[in-house]
Amino acid sequence: TREYFPTLRVAALGDWISHELFGRGEIFELMQDLHAATGEAVSIALQNDVYMQYIRVIQSVHPLRFHTEEGSQRPLTQSATGWLMLATHSDAMVDKLVRRANIATPRPQDRQSLAVMQERVARCRKDGVAYAENIPLVGGATVAALLPVKVQGRAVVMGMGGTIARFTKILGR
């Protein structure tokens, strides 16, 4: 009946991965700075097939917030971070990914038309950033930007999410 409890060294086993992927941690420092300035949730996401996957998340400190788990996934069509990831692909690949993401989206009302997604992707390409309200959650807003790094040749997106009311103040709208 011997019982074991892992030490903190076990928790540190995977620490090298973040540094290998993102260098000396400047991106994580940027996340911390953005979070400190706004109190909003800040995340780093990568594309995983027809999904965007959150690989690092700092949760919002506000009483009214939307919680996102590290490692969780969302269809590319369901968030500003996904739209920005789509914008890094050719039009033909965007068409293919949107169709496949819609198949993977269980609720028909959450599926996005190809025309709407092409419009969103074009706006992302033009602006270099993405902004969304009420997607994926009613009352929520997300702003996202591509980072100047790639992970295994894939785009990396940093996003910040909170309520529309707070984003109105942050963005000066």
Side-chain angles (χ1 to χ4, degrees), residues 17-78:
I17 296 171
S18 293
H19 295 291
E20 190 68 28
L21 295 177
F22 299 109
R24 295 186 315 265
E26 294 91 353
I27 291 172
F28 299 131
E29 288 177 23
L30 178 62
M31 286 181 73
Q32 290 286 351
D33 291 346
L34 189 56
H35 180 264
T38 64
E40 298 296 353
V42 180
S43 63
I44 294 178
L46 296 171
Q47 184 176 340
N48 184 355
D49 192 28
V50 296
Y51 300 94
M52 42 155 278
Q53 184 168 24
Y54 299 103
I55 60 165
R56 182 68 69 116
V57 178
I58 302 173
Q59 300 297 340
S60 172
V61 297
H62 296 286
L64 178 57
R65 62 180 175 254
F66 305 103
H67 187 80
T68 302
E69 289 289 329
E70 281 187 10
S72 64
Q73 297 184 114
R74 178 172 287 130
L76 291 168
T77 57
Q78 295 297 306

Side-chain angles (χ1 to χ4, degrees), residues 83-162:
W83 305 347
L84 203 52
M85 286 182 196
L86 285 169
T88 65
H89 296 287
S90 69
D91 289 341
M93 182 57 80
V94 168
D95 179 272
K96 180 179 177 181
L97 289 168
V98 168
R99 291 175 195 279
R100 290 183 53 226
N102 279 335
I103 292 168
T105 302
R107 294 177 359 142
Q109 63 269 30
D110 292 335
R111 295 176 186 147
Q112 304 293 310
S113 75
L114 183 57
V116 166
M117 288 308 304
Q118 287 171 330
E119 204 174 286
R120 289 173 177 161
V121 166
R123 192 174 323 118
C124 289
R125 288 176 180 156
K126 178 181 171 274
D127 298 342
V129 296
Y131 180 74
E133 291 182 351
N134 297 311
I135 292 179
L137 301 167
V138 174
T142 306
V143 64
L146 281 172
L147 294 176
V149 297
K150 295 213 182 265
V151 172
Q152 297 177 339
R154 296 183 298 166
V156 181
V157 175
M158 183 177 291
M160 183 174 74

